[in-house]
Amino acid sequence: MSEIENTGKDAYSADTITVLKGLEAVRMRPAMYIGDIGSRGLHHLVNEVVDNSIDEALAGHCTKVEVEITQDGAVSVLDNGRGIPVDLHKEENKPGVEVAMTILHAGGKFDKENYKVSGGLHGVGVSCVNALSRLMITEVYREGKHYKIEFEKGITVKPLEVVEGSEIRGTKQTFYPDPKIFETTVFNYETIAHRLRVLAFLNKGLKITLKDNREISRKEDGTLPFFEFQYHGGLKEFVKYIDENKKSVCEPILIEKTVDDYPMEIALSWNDTYRENIESYVNNIHTIEGGTHEEGFKSALTRAINKYAIDSKIFKNDKMKLAGSDVREGLTAVISIKVMEPQFEGQTKTKLGNGEITGMVQSLVYEKLLEWMNENPRISRMILDKCTEALRAREAAHKAKDLIRRKSAFEGGSMPAKLYDCSKGSDPMDCELFIVEGDSAGGSAVDGRDIKTQAVLPLRGKILNVEKARLDKMLANEEIKNLINAIGTGIGDSEIDFVPGQNGDSSAFSSNGDGFVLERLRYGKIIVMTDADIDGAHINTLMLTFFYRYMPELIKRGHIYLAMPPLYRVTKGKISHYIYPGNEDEKARILEELGGEDAKGIQVQRYKGLGEMNPEQLKETTLDPEKRLIKRINIDDAVEADRIFTMLMGDDVPPRKDFIIEKCHFAQNIDA
Ligand code: 0RA
């Protein structure tokens, strides 16, 4: 390394140039480091900074992390760890903290003996956050002193200094994201809160607080949003939280052990729904695509329960055997393991690849679960009854002639009679399917569409609440069958869990023998179109529940949309203006322009339903890609989404406001 000293402001040393090049690279291609430059990327910065404090907690040196959205829109993260080292880094001839903040990937250099958060988009390092911030202030509280250093766009602008004495110990990072980089620099309290809550579950006992000091966030009662997360029950409480709105069969079972330096923690329980919900984490990173830890868990679960059923003579004949999908019906489980050198694979680098993990998780779960079942025969019996019931339903579904056959959808043989398909020849990805509530609106949509690329499927009557129905019942439902056939992909996860030799069946999830196949998607956009009222909102929620539960891939890949029909039409003479949801202010402005609501010749029409529009109007306002407004549905946070869908679709469903859309940031407005 260079020995040249940085004597004047024009005298750049070789190190300085390297640093500048590194930061430049991050600012040139931010998406390469943080995924994107939208809201998601912005919040990635918060995760990155928080992860550093969590690492300190994992190393056993920190018990509290305080996150704050400051009055002026920055985020600060304070922990009570050891404090980033401030002594001179010999090679770089700079304080350690300055090295950590300005050199790419320098963060991890200090001590390697920890379980580091790394892989996926995590672990890009706090220097990336620094590079993408117009201002970043790092404060260190160590050995009785309070140190401070400041950066702009990753470049040191105020060198490290001691500002005063200090009674406390720890690190505080405050950063202001650069508006020149990000499309938005406005932090979302809920988004940050969800992540912090999960971190609190995963790190039992760790206290994490979140405070929103922005004036705009002040609530009606005059207080500012504040949350303290601390869960002494860890994963057990996580499972309870996920299943809060469901009826549980038992208290969560906890399996916990460190084997060969691999800490493993698993909590599981069953509830009265028919879905499985397994969430897994490696070094606090959500492994969305699963991997070896999930495989080990699933295989042990199936084996242990079958073993118990045979040993306890619950199974009368030895031909009876529960499949994986049977034992996982209504299962909620959270798996959290720590791995020194995790290998992340898969499309989004969220699949654990370490082969040694499968067997370790498997033996642990098999042994502990059998032990637990032998100690809890009454609850075990209940769980087994539930599993055998699932097996029976699976066999019934398999036998039912009514199943949707793969051939019908795939070879275009029998599309639903109710489907007004678009004319053949266009690329499916350029085509759109409108799912329309009500016959009259359906009729207008059929007449107003562009027949080359737009198809219409009218929905009649009550939509089945898939949250409350088992697969066999769902597949017997006429509307659902039409929907699945029209879309063409089949249902389930793209990676179906096969149980070979199990009655020749594959899985409870696959309606057509092989589950969801994206390549068979018949339309690039699937647009749910309902009235802008409570009933419409309810149908939207039911439809989104269906897609979320049975075709999640379509949501993940951005194929599902909500139409946004206008709320009002303001007419004067031959000219019409349409007012869309979320844009109600427009109405007053337009009326003003036209001379006031009572001016001569002005007509204000409030649309109560799609049926009030003729085909021409429907085309102009809701169908025509050039003029309409549609919302793309995106659901990032699976845990929150699951809770919300369960709550919305629970036993007593009063007409709720359009909760999913308004409150949960699931939808994003786009003009497309
Ligand atoms: C490496 C060594 C030491 C502290 C840290 C890293 C550290 C980093 C961060 C980032 C956020 N909070 C943090 N807290 C601590 C100190 C080693 C020592 O004191 O012996």
Side-chain angles (χ1 to χ4, degrees):
M1 275 286 157
S2 167
E3 297 287 302
I4 306 170
E5 277 209 2
N6 206 355
T7 47
K9 69 176 165 160
D10 295 325
Y12 283 125
S13 69
D15 314 349
T16 314
I17 290 165
T18 317
V19 167
L20 290 176
K21 273 196 181 148
L23 300 174
E24 184 74 357
V26 177
R27 291 182 60 88
M28 290 276 283
R29 293 210 167 75
M32 248 185 61
Y33 296 84
I34 55 163
D36 64 66
I37 52 167
S39 180
R40 195 188 298 208
L42 180 77
H43 288 86
H44 200 82
L45 303 185
V46 183
N47 296 342
E48 197 57 49
V49 174
V50 170
D51 283 351
N52 282 300
S53 297
I54 299 289
D55 280 346
E56 187 67 359
L58 281 179
H61 301 291
C62 159
T63 59
K64 199 167 73 183
V65 180
E66 298 177 19
V67 182
E68 182 183 320
I69 307 174
T70 66
Q71 212 171 8
D72 54 353
V75 161
S76 78
V77 178
L78 168 68
D79 67 50
N80 64 350
R82 293 167 295 175
I84 306 180
V86 289
D87 48 334
L88 214 61
H89 189 281
K90 287 201 193 72
E91 276 161 35
E92 304 288 342
N93 198 30
K94 286 174 186 167
V97 56
E98 186 172 0
V99 174
M101 295 302 293
T102 55
I103 298 185
L104 275 184
H105 304 298
K109 274 188 192 163
F110 290 106
D111 41 7
K112 261 213 135 67
E113 303 311 304
N114 293 332
Y115 303 100
K116 285 283 172 201
V117 174
S118 66
L121 281 174
H122 291 262
V124 291
V126 71
S127 60
C128 283
V129 179
N130 196 10
L132 301 175
S133 296
R134 69 172 168 82
L135 171 65
M136 185 152 188
I137 304 164
T138 303
E139 291 161 274
V140 175
Y141 306 86
R142 248 183 104 100
E143 289 142 19
K145 295 197 184 93
H146 175 181
Y147 301 82
K148 189 169 176 178
I149 180 168
E150 290 187 26
F151 312 88
E152 286 174 15
K153 302 175 184 174
I155 297 166
T156 312
V157 292
K158 281 193 194 157
L160 188 72
E161 56 169 349
V162 175
V163 283
E164 52 194 359
S166 170
E167 309 264 273
I168 62 167
R169 208 189 56 155
T171 304
K172 183 176 185 183
Q173 298 279 20
T174 308
F175 65 96
Y176 296 77
D178 191 344
K180 290 205 182 77
I181 300 281
F182 291 95
E183 286 161 359
T184 172
T185 54
V186 181
F187 289 104
N188 182 289
Y189 179 79
E190 303 288 337
T191 306
I192 299 173
H194 293 333
R195 172 69 187 157
L196 295 183
R197 188 198 303 274
V198 169
L199 285 172
F201 282 127
L202 295 176
N203 299 278
K204 170 164 33 188
L206 179 64
K207 187 185 279 185
I208 306 180
T209 63
L210 174 62
K211 205 153 110 190
D212 186 349
N213 278 335
R214 293 170 300 186
E215 225 21 72
I216 46 156
S217 306
R218 196 174 288 283
K219 294 184 281 188
E220 272 174 25
D221 65 3
T223 62
L224 290 164
F226 174 79
F227 225 106
E228 179 178 303
F229 304 109
Q230 187 178 31
Y231 300 104
H232 294 289
L235 292 196
K236 256 184 154 173
E237 284 194 71
F238 198 171
V239 166
K240 280 191 185 173
Y241 176 79
I242 293 173
D243 283 356
E244 196 170 65
N245 302 308
K246 301 168 194 153
K247 283 195 191 79
S248 294
V249 172
C250 58
E251 274 286 299
I253 305 164
L254 185 68
I255 297 171
E256 207 176 6
K257 194 173 179 184
T258 298
V259 181
D260 297 342
D261 278 339
Y262 293 93
M264 297 181 271
E265 206 184 335
I266 296 156
L268 65 153
S269 181
W270 280 266
N271 58 64
D272 67 338
T273 76
Y274 304 113
R275 272 169 304 93
E276 71 175 76
N277 189 356
I278 302 175
E279 305 283 344
S280 65
Y281 297 81
V282 174
N283 300 357
N284 293 328
I285 297 167
H286 195 185
T287 35
I288 297 163
E289 297 173 275
T292 49
H293 51 335
E294 276 194 26
E295 280 163 30
F297 169 74
K298 287 187 200 174
S299 121
L301 186 73
T302 311
R303 281 177 43 212
I305 294 182
N306 274 301
K307 170 99 169 105
Y308 180 80
I310 292 164
D311 288 356
S312 57
K313 311 246 168 2
I314 292 174
F315 281 178
K316 304 273 169 335
N317 60 60
D318 50 0
K319 276 205 199 102
M320 222 167 137
K321 198 171 175 218
L322 296 164
S325 62
D326 301 331
V327 302
R328 296 197 299 273
E329 193 179 276
L331 172 81
T332 296
V334 180
I335 303 168
S336 172
I337 67 168
K338 305 268 160 43
V339 182
M340 287 278 188
E341 285 176 35
Q343 295 151 22
F344 290 106
E345 305 171 344
Q347 258 181 359
T348 55
K349 292 270 176 278
T350 59
K351 180 173 181 178
L352 184 67
N354 299 50
E356 74 274 21
I357 303 294
T358 317
M360 278 188 347
V361 175
Q362 199 174 343
S363 346
L364 176 69
V365 172
Y366 184 75
E367 181 198 333
K368 296 280 177 182
L369 197 61
L370 266 180
E371 201 178 291
W372 182 91
M373 287 196 288
N374 284 318
E375 284 163 11
N376 297 274
R378 195 185 55 84
I379 307 173
S380 298
R381 179 77 209 208
M382 269 156 57
I383 294 169
L384 261 166
D385 286 349
K386 211 176 134 53
C387 299
T388 37
E389 172 67 24
L391 182 146
R392 250 181 247 119
R394 178 166 57 87
E395 285 174 342
H398 186 72
K399 282 181 197 133
K401 306 183 207 85
D402 235 9
L403 282 189
I404 305 155
R405 291 287 165 218
R406 168 188 180 168
K407 274 192 176 144
S408 61
F410 195 32
E411 292 168 2
S414 68
M415 276 297 126
K418 283 170 54 179
L419 174 71
Y420 297 85
D421 214 347
C422 39
S423 43
K424 299 234 153 28
S426 304
D427 179 345
M429 287 310 104
D430 296 333
C431 293
E432 304 177 336
L433 173 66
F434 283 88
I435 298 166
V436 186
E437 164 196 13
D439 278 340
S440 74
S444 289
V446 171
D447 294 339
R449 70 187 167 138
D450 171 0
I451 195 167
K452 281 216 278 310
T453 57
Q454 296 183 316
V456 175
L457 181 67
L459 291 177
R460 215 167 289 143
K462 254 185 92 176
I463 316 290
L464 181 77
N465 181 353
V466 297
E467 198 68 16
K468 291 265 123 192
R470 200 183 243 138
L471 191 73
D472 53 339
K473 187 173 157 208
M474 189 188 91
L475 292 181
N477 181 279
E478 211 50 46
E479 304 286 329
I480 300 267
K481 270 196 292 195
N482 288 340
L483 189 64
I484 298 174
N485 276 336
I487 290 171
T489 54
I491 58 172
D493 283 325
S494 42
E495 245 177 273
I496 283 294
D497 150 46
F498 257 85
V499 188
Q502 215 57 63
N503 310 314
D505 193 3
S506 54
S507 131
F509 238 146
S510 73
S511 59
N512 48 19
D514 51 5
F516 180 91
V517 181
L518 185 67
E519 286 67 33
R520 292 193 208 141
L521 179 60
R522 300 182 66 248
Y523 310 93
K525 290 195 176 79
I526 295 166
I527 306 170
V528 180
M529 187 162 109
T530 59
D531 293 339
D533 61 9
I534 288 285
D535 286 341
H538 191 61
I539 293 171
N540 285 348
T541 312
L542 286 164
M543 292 303 306
L544 292 188
T545 308
F546 169 78
F547 287 120
Y548 182 66
R549 296 300 189 203
Y550 291 98
M551 299 180 177
E553 204 64 21
L554 292 186
I555 296 184
K556 279 186 215 153
R557 292 173 186 268
H559 290 292
I560 307 293
Y561 297 79
L562 294 181
M564 302 286 285
L567 296 173
Y568 301 97
R569 182 173 65 158
V570 180
T571 318
K572 187 177 185 185
K574 287 210 176 84
I575 300 182
S576 291
H577 297 271
Y578 293 99
I579 319 288
Y580 290 90
N583 231 349
E584 285 86 340
D585 298 349
E586 274 278 283
K587 185 172 148 221
R589 197 182 59 73
I590 287 170
L591 281 172
E592 181 96 9
E593 254 177 47
L594 299 176
E597 184 141 15
D598 303 318
K600 213 166 145 238
I602 288 212
Q603 250 191 331
V604 179
Q605 183 186 358
R606 171 159 169 48
Y607 287 118
K608 290 195 203 70
L610 294 164
E612 292 173 29
M613 278 186 259
N614 64 36
E616 200 46 49
Q617 288 168 336
L618 195 65
K619 177 190 170 82
E620 198 183 341
T621 61
T622 318
L623 299 174
D624 185 352
E626 299 292 319
K627 299 185 182 145
R628 73 188 179 199
L629 185 67
I630 58 178
K631 274 184 180 201
R632 180 190 284 139
I633 303 302
N634 63 334
I635 299 182
D636 284 340
D637 190 324
V639 170
E640 281 311 305
D642 180 83
R643 278 169 52 85
I644 287 159
F645 281 120
T646 316
M647 181 184 73
L648 287 171
M649 296 293 123
D651 284 327
D652 51 341
V653 188
R656 291 180 172 98
K657 198 159 160 19
D658 213 344
F659 191 76
I660 289 191
I661 296 134
E662 300 296 333
K663 179 123 169 73
C664 299
H665 317 281
F666 284 168
Q668 120 197 36
N669 266 320
I670 61 161
D671 302 287

